[in-house]
Amino acid sequence: MNLENPTYVFIKMTAGVLATVGLYSVLYKETKLYRFFEHMFLGLAAGWSLTAIWTDTLKDQWWGQMVGKVDEQTGLMKEPAVWPWAFVVPMAFMAYLIFSRKHNWISRIPLGLLIGLGAGQAFLNWFNLYGPQMQDSVKVLIPTTFSSLTVPPAVNGQPDPNVYLSQAINNLIFVATLLCVLSYFIFCTEFKSRFLKGMSTAGRLVLMVGFGAIFGSTVMTRFALFIDRMYFVWIEWLWRSVLHLS
Amino acid sequence: MSDQNTGPAKKPIGELLQSANRTFLYFILFLVVSLSLVVTQIRKVEVPTRPEAYTIEAYKILRNVPPGGVVIVDTGFTNSSRGENGGQMEALLRILMRSGAKFAVLSWVEPQCIEIARGFIRTINEERKAAGEAPYREWEDYLILGFFPDGPTMLQTVHQNVREAWKTRQATDPSTGEKKSVFESPVLRNVQRIEDVYAYVTLSASGTMPTIVARIGKQVKVISMITGVMFPEQLNYYKSGQLKGLVNGLSGCVELEWLMEKGIDAAGVVGGDAPGKPVAAAFKGAKNFDRGMAYYLALHSALTLLILAVAVGNVGMWLTNRSKKR
């Protein structure tokens, strides 16, 4: 099938519009129309994933290596077959024994291997991930220059090494916020001092401010998804494909 | 004396304001968004924006990829976040193709991501053909490395030996019609180590970036293009220098389009005209505003509606509380 054929593209887009309307009908109430498109969407995604896992991964990385490659002209082996790859099949099937009451302990072997592999990597990469952030939390709190209160415009796009007053204030707010939030998560002892109690309360408050900012950002994503669907229906389908407007 | 009023009890204004019908609100949102999109389409509305420092850094890196330089595009989004990642992908492809960079696409989040990326490459290639430019050719200019089901392990191997990590990946050489190793392609021919790659761009709707940064973040410049949901978490990685650039959701996409249109002059000013070699030049006269700008007015309208609804609800609550006190 020619995927670029205009008729095929139009049919594909119209099906997309119907699916969009069907899925958004849940906003009115959960109808059979919604359930139909929901099931179709999940079925298509599962089917697609299965095919892609074979074509993109298993075919070349497992089957191809296991059976090797024959040169079509000479009939000789171009790449040797690595038969031990066959052992991963029983290994994979061992995971399915989780459904057997008698033999479910066997499923722990492949699972354990995977967890071991993941844990080894996590241990190795933990510092790469959080080390630079911990290092970055140590901020300069005293300005190195008072030539300007705020950071002057960059010259030739190069960063200025100086710390200006506005930056020092910013750093102070950062460090205070960090310490307050960390103190909120100390559960191993009871805070008796008013200062520490205040820090913990302030930590809770700044966390809420942070969650509020995250919520704002989240709303943008939800709206963007809806806007994209409406753009698809009104502009890409109706405007361009049906009305043929530019 | 009995109550003479037999009709339905009239709701006080405060309660009325707090009990707006949900379906009605959805309908208003539908109208506002639809109208904004159509107005943008007819009037070609360009909402001005001021790019953030992290978007500017991302643009500086991408705009300065040398011709022939290799960029890895790690796509981790499906149609569920096309509203944000879709526009980012289009902007990224336009920048790379116009700069003459070579790129390789891979995914380890979801098998559908690769096909979705192919769709975007097709679209931008069509756009190039219509503008009289040469389309990007698979194998020569870009590669599809495919889907990797175990991303963390693949990236760990990339950190140690990129050739080992992708050694089983093949692509069709159009000159012979034969499937060959991706390392025989002009795209990856000179890549011996991951350090030979100019940048690694991840487009995702989920938290894949830390997995990348932890493994190869010290070897290659990592840029993250993400949805607004993931942005607050990822900002920490930019601040600590682990990410070299960041594009935040739909607003980040618009900022990227804005930078493509305006550029950054020699003095580092966006849209400035200081003499000298620009820090990151604009693509003058090319199609820069697309999906991001097309959605931006609608986003502003929807957010205004949300703020209005929150304000109305709060006024309603205040009125109700006041009447209760009386």
Side-chain angles (χ1 to χ4, degrees), chain B:
Chain B
M1 205 169 110
S2 64
D3 191 352
Q4 296 297 308
N5 186 6
T6 52
K10 205 175 166 187
K11 270 187 179 178
I13 182 84
E15 278 183 37
L16 209 66
L17 290 175
Q18 287 182 87
S19 56
N21 186 303
R22 201 172 57 175
T23 315
F24 173 72
L25 282 175
Y26 288 145
F27 182 68
I28 299 281
L29 177 69
F30 165 76
L31 281 183
V32 164
V33 166
S34 303
L35 204 68
S36 303
L37 287 171
V38 173
V39 167
T40 307
Q41 183 68 20
I42 296 170
R43 308 277 304 175
K44 305 287 175 213
V45 180
E46 286 174 12
V47 183
T49 188
R50 198 175 66 180
E52 297 284 351
Y54 38 81
T55 320
I56 292 175
E57 289 306 317
Y59 183 68
K60 276 185 198 169
I61 294 169
L62 294 171
R63 184 65 184 88
N64 291 307
V65 180
V70 181
V71 173
I72 305 297
V73 179
D74 181 339
T75 171
F77 74 96
T78 61
N79 278 337
S80 61
S81 64
R82 195 182 79 140
E84 293 183 302
N85 293 131
Q88 294 167 349
M89 177 64 118
E90 284 177 348
L92 171 69
L93 292 175
R94 283 191 184 105
I95 298 170
L96 294 180
M97 290 184 183
R98 288 173 191 170
S99 308
K102 295 192 185 293
F103 62 89
V105 182
L106 63 87
S107 177
W108 49 278
V109 174
E110 165 76 48
Q112 295 173 57
C113 301
I114 291 292
E115 194 50 34
I116 286 163
R118 276 186 201 277
F120 280 107
I121 296 170
R122 250 194 317 266
T123 306
I124 304 297
N125 261 340
E126 287 301 320
E127 188 183 293
R128 285 175 70 84
K129 277 186 215 167
E133 293 166 313
Y136 252 50
R137 298 156 301 168
E138 194 168 347
W139 181 264
E140 289 290 331
D141 305 314
Y142 75 93
L143 274 176
I144 302 286
L145 295 178
F147 174 69
F148 293 83
D150 187 4
T153 307
M154 179 272 287
L155 288 162
Q156 191 69 49
T157 318
V158 166
H159 158 73
Q160 287 154 350
N161 186 345
V162 68
R163 292 217 159 215
E164 181 65 27
W166 300 335
K167 73 174 181 187
T168 57
R169 298 287 150 157
Q170 294 188 322
T172 309
D173 178 354
S175 63
T176 59
E178 202 184 335
K179 272 198 157 190
K180 291 179 181 171
S181 161
V182 289
F183 288 102
E184 289 181 44
S185 142
V187 180
L188 294 179
R189 190 179 289 157
N190 297 323
V191 174
Q192 301 294 332
R193 305 174 309 151
I194 191 65
E195 286 88 342
D196 296 331
V197 165
Y198 190 81
Y200 190 107
V201 185
T202 164
L203 296 106
S204 180
S206 54
T208 56
M209 184 277 299
T211 310
I212 299 163
V213 159
R215 286 159 180 81
I216 55 171
K218 284 182 180 169
Q219 297 161 291
V220 63
K221 291 171 194 157
V222 181
I223 295 171
S224 185
M225 298 188 171
I226 28 113
T227 55
V229 175
M230 298 310 299
F231 169 74
E233 180 192 315
Q234 301 209 353
L235 188 61
N236 297 328
Y237 293 88
Y238 170 76
K239 292 273 183 191
S240 61
Q242 291 164 290
L243 277 180
K244 301 299 175 217
L246 190 56
V247 177
N248 168 25
L250 182 54
S251 58
C253 173
V254 177
E255 288 168 19
L256 210 54
E257 291 179 3
W258 189 263
L259 288 163
M260 287 162 70
E261 181 71 21
K262 307 285 177 191
I264 306 166
D265 72 3
V269 178
V270 175
D273 53 2
K277 187 177 179 278
V279 173
F283 295 104
K284 293 280 180 202
K287 182 182 178 181
N288 296 317
F289 292 131
D290 193 23
R291 199 176 290 273
M293 198 53 94
Y295 296 0
Y296 213 32
L297 179 67
L299 179 70
H300 280 77
S301 310
L303 287 172
T304 308
L305 186 70
L306 175 81
I307 293 165
L308 209 67
V310 170
V312 166
N314 275 281
V315 168
M317 193 169 69
W318 177 72
L319 286 173
T320 309
N321 289 345
R322 200 178 64 162
S323 64
K324 272 182 192 167
K325 275 180 193 166
R326 279 178 184 170

Side-chain angles (χ1 to χ4, degrees), chain A residues 4 27-28 45 48-49 52-53 56-57 60-61 65 69 78-79 117 121 124-125 128-130 132-133 136 154 156-157 214 217-232 234-236 239-240 246, chain B residues 26 29-30 33-34 37 41-42 80 82-84 110-112 115 122 147 149 152-153 156 168-170 178 210 214-215 218 227-229 232 236-237 239-240 242 248 250-251 266-267 291 294-295 298-299 302-303 306:
Chain A
E4 308 298 321
L27 296 177
Y28 171 63
W48 181 270
S49 301
I53 283 175
D56 276 357
T57 310
D60 286 337
Q61 294 208 41
Q65 295 208 53
K69 205 173 182 182
K78 200 172 169 185
E79 282 172 25
L117 208 68
Q121 285 186 33
L124 188 73
N125 293 310
N128 280 349
L129 200 57
Y130 298 113
Q133 287 177 42
D136 187 59
N156 298 327
I214 292 171
S217 209
T218 305
V219 166
M220 178 174 75
T221 298
R222 308 298 172 214
F223 277 148
L225 171 59
F226 178 63
I227 292 165
D228 179 68
R229 286 292 87 198
M230 291 300 103
Y231 184 81
F232 174 70
W234 295 125
I235 310 298
E236 292 182 336
W239 191 275
R240 292 181 191 152
S246 60
Chain B
Y26 288 145
L29 177 69
F30 165 76
V33 166
S34 303
L37 287 171
Q41 183 68 20
I42 296 170
S80 61
R82 195 182 79 140
E84 293 183 302
E110 165 76 48
Q112 295 173 57
E115 194 50 34
R122 250 194 317 266
F147 174 69
T153 307
Q156 191 69 49
T168 57
R169 298 287 150 157
Q170 294 188 322
E178 202 184 335
R215 286 159 180 81
K218 284 182 180 169
T227 55
V229 175
N236 297 328
Y237 293 88
K239 292 273 183 191
S240 61
Q242 291 164 290
N248 168 25
L250 182 54
S251 58
R291 199 176 290 273
Y295 296 0
L299 179 70
L303 287 172
L306 175 81

